[in-house]
Amino acid sequence: IEELKKQIEDKNVSIAELNTQVTKLGNNVRELTDQTVAQAKTITDQTDKMNEAYFIIDSSKNLKAKGLMVGGGLFSKKKLDLSAGDLSKLTKIDMRAKKTFSIPSAKPKILTQAPAGSYTITKTGDKSSTLTITDTQRFWSMSNVLVISY
């Protein structure tokens, strides 16, 4: 009987040690799960930031009034000026999702650099047209800002 009691006591100690190990493993799993969730969120945030773009479609007069164009005097042409870096005047988009832009002009001018062949401009009426991005990666490769004047 004494020997059986000792075996039971030894087994109880083993069970307690195993329960401690299971608790530690459960905590490790929770910590790893939390880390994985945090890393996935970081990756998603970084991917969204990398695919962030800005655009504005407006008359050259309004673009100048907003400080996005300079010049246009007697002896100088109007030029796009994004040096201030104030993107609050532009609309933020996800470049992966936004493929078309409606323009209230039949003869729009793209003021930012965009590779030829990465977009098309189609007249949609007497006083409107649509810019369609046909190659997203190439179109946004030069700049994440699109400025269209009419």
Side-chain angles (χ1 to χ4, degrees):
I1 292 178
E2 288 298 319
E3 188 158 325
L4 289 175
K5 285 183 181 179
K6 179 154 177 33
Q7 286 178 357
I8 290 173
E9 192 174 309
D10 289 344
K11 300 250 188 243
N12 286 341
V13 169
S14 294
I15 290 171
E17 289 173 357
L18 290 173
N19 283 337
T20 302
Q21 287 178 350
V22 167
T23 301
K24 285 181 183 177
L25 290 173
N27 289 338
N28 288 346
V29 167
R30 274 189 289 285
E31 287 175 19
L32 290 173
T33 301
D34 291 346
Q35 285 177 356
T36 302
V37 168
Q39 288 173 346
K41 184 180 179 338
T42 300
I43 289 169
T44 300
D45 291 347
Q46 288 174 345
T47 302
D48 289 346
K49 185 74 174 165
M50 285 176 20
N51 289 292
E52 199 173 85
Y54 298 86
F55 82 96
I56 187 167
I57 300 170
D58 213 337
S59 68
S60 58
K61 180 180 176 183
N62 287 342
L63 291 173
K64 188 168 184 175
K66 292 177 182 179
L68 297 172
M69 292 190 78
V70 294
L74 186 59
F75 297 108
S76 65
K77 286 184 173 180
K78 288 183 185 177
K79 290 188 218 173
L80 183 63
D81 180 19
L82 298 174
S83 62
D86 182 13
L87 299 175
S88 65
K89 298 171 181 135
L90 286 74
T91 303
K92 182 176 160 181
I93 58 168
D94 183 337
M95 66 177 70
R96 298 167 293 186
K98 183 77 170 164
K99 305 285 186 207
T100 60
F101 299 86
S102 296
I103 307 164
S105 170
K107 294 184 178 184
K109 295 177 196 131
I110 297 178
L111 301 178
T112 47
Q113 293 183 344
S118 64
Y119 65 94
T120 60
I121 296 178
T122 310
K123 275 186 159 182
T124 54
D126 287 345
K127 295 184 179 182
S128 63
S129 54
T130 300
L131 179 134
T132 304
I133 298 172
T134 56
D135 186 343
T136 304
Q137 191 170 6
R138 277 187 55 225
F139 184 84
W140 295 108
S141 66
M142 300 179 95
S143 174
N144 68 334
V145 176
L146 172 62
V147 179
I148 300 174
S149 171
Y150 56 86

